[in-house]
Amino acid sequence: MKIETKTEALNIVETSYLASLSSLLWIALYYLPVGGALLRLILPLPIILLHLRRGTKTAFEGLLIQFLLLFIIMGPFRGTLFLFPYGILAFWLGWCWLKEKSWKLSLTMGVIIGTFGFFIRVVALSTLVGDNLWLLITRASYGLIEKFIGLFNLSFSPSILSIQLVAILLIIFQEIVYVLTVHVVAYSLFPRFKLTIPDPPRLLNNLVDLNNS
């Protein structure tokens, strides 16, 4: 392939570098016993950064390169899991911010992507380890309900439906916190790369106005 312009060269270099960085972050998240929360937080940022700097086509190529790298290094099963939800979420947020879409849209769809991605990962990992991981989640949900009942001394016996409903609500809440935190970090960090994302809703101004602190 003949490179004719500086832009083409930069596209190739940045795509390779940021896709490799994102792949290393995923490998570290999967195998290292510490730093999981921080790695989860910064994992979508390289592809988002590539999307904002080089556009949708290049970001898609970066996501494809990352998939191929992880497919080769980690195998088809573990290598593909990064897509659910981190890879797809990163591409979605990059597209929203490139097109200057509102936080309401990027947050709402981001939470939906994260929630469905969580369930896909539960099914995939349950198949991998040969155990139903959803049972562990519902047991944790039941333990939380029991503590709540004991705290307020309630005469209430939770049903299976209510236990699973609480588990789903906890997953959705977790994804809301995660996707919102990614928004906040990107809003405070990306101006240093001379990139901007749309301003947050007025309700969240005090939370995300980190640059002035």
Side-chain angles (χ1 to χ4, degrees):
M1 183 180 65
K2 185 178 180 181
I3 301 174
E4 298 180 349
T5 65
K6 181 180 178 180
T7 300
E8 290 179 356
L10 288 174
N11 283 346
I12 293 173
V13 171
E14 288 194 12
T15 301
S16 301
Y17 176 76
L18 292 172
S20 300
L21 174 60
S22 190
S23 298
L24 288 174
L25 290 172
W26 172 250
I27 293 171
L29 175 64
Y30 200 92
Y31 289 113
L32 292 183
V34 295
L38 178 61
L39 291 172
R40 285 185 69 234
L41 186 60
I42 63 178
L43 182 59
L45 297 184
I47 296 299
I48 296 174
L49 184 63
L50 181 63
H51 210 143
L52 294 177
R53 287 177 62 87
R54 298 296 164 188
T56 300
K57 180 177 180 294
T58 305
F60 181 78
E61 291 172 353
L63 197 63
L64 180 60
I65 290 172
Q66 183 182 358
F67 170 75
L68 293 175
L69 281 172
L70 293 173
F71 188 93
I72 294 170
I73 295 171
M74 303 180 70
F77 193 88
R78 294 179 177 88
T80 305
L81 279 181
F82 91 95
L83 287 171
F84 309 103
Y86 304 107
I88 297 173
L89 177 63
F91 189 84
W92 165 252
L93 294 181
W95 181 86
C96 283
W97 295 339
L98 181 67
K99 300 298 183 181
E100 298 183 348
K101 302 295 183 180
S102 69
W103 280 41
K104 292 179 181 179
L105 177 62
S106 58
L107 271 170
T108 302
M109 279 303 300
V111 170
I112 293 173
I113 291 170
T115 302
F116 276 99
F118 182 92
F119 286 113
I120 290 172
R121 287 170 59 80
V122 167
V123 173
L125 291 174
S126 295
T127 304
L128 181 64
V129 301
D131 195 7
N132 189 351
L133 298 182
W134 180 247
L135 291 178
L136 299 178
I137 297 172
T138 53
R139 286 171 188 167
S141 172
Y142 178 70
L144 183 63
I145 294 174
E146 273 197 326
K147 289 181 180 179
F148 183 83
I149 292 174
L151 180 64
F152 292 95
N153 198 22
L154 301 175
S155 56
F156 170 72
S157 179
S159 64
I160 297 296
L161 179 62
S162 63
I163 293 171
Q164 299 209 2
L165 180 61
V166 169
I168 293 172
L169 291 176
L170 288 174
I171 292 167
I172 294 173
F173 177 75
Q174 169 189 282
E175 295 303 326
I176 291 173
V177 173
Y178 175 72
V179 177
L180 178 59
T181 305
V182 172
H183 277 68
V184 173
V185 171
Y187 187 78
S188 62
L189 181 64
F190 283 2
R192 301 179 187 181
F193 298 97
K194 298 181 180 180
L195 298 169
T196 58
I197 68 175
D199 291 328
R202 188 174 302 176
L203 182 64
L204 299 176
N205 274 340
N206 292 332
L207 175 64
V208 302
D209 191 15
L210 302 180
N211 290 323
N212 296 327
S213 58

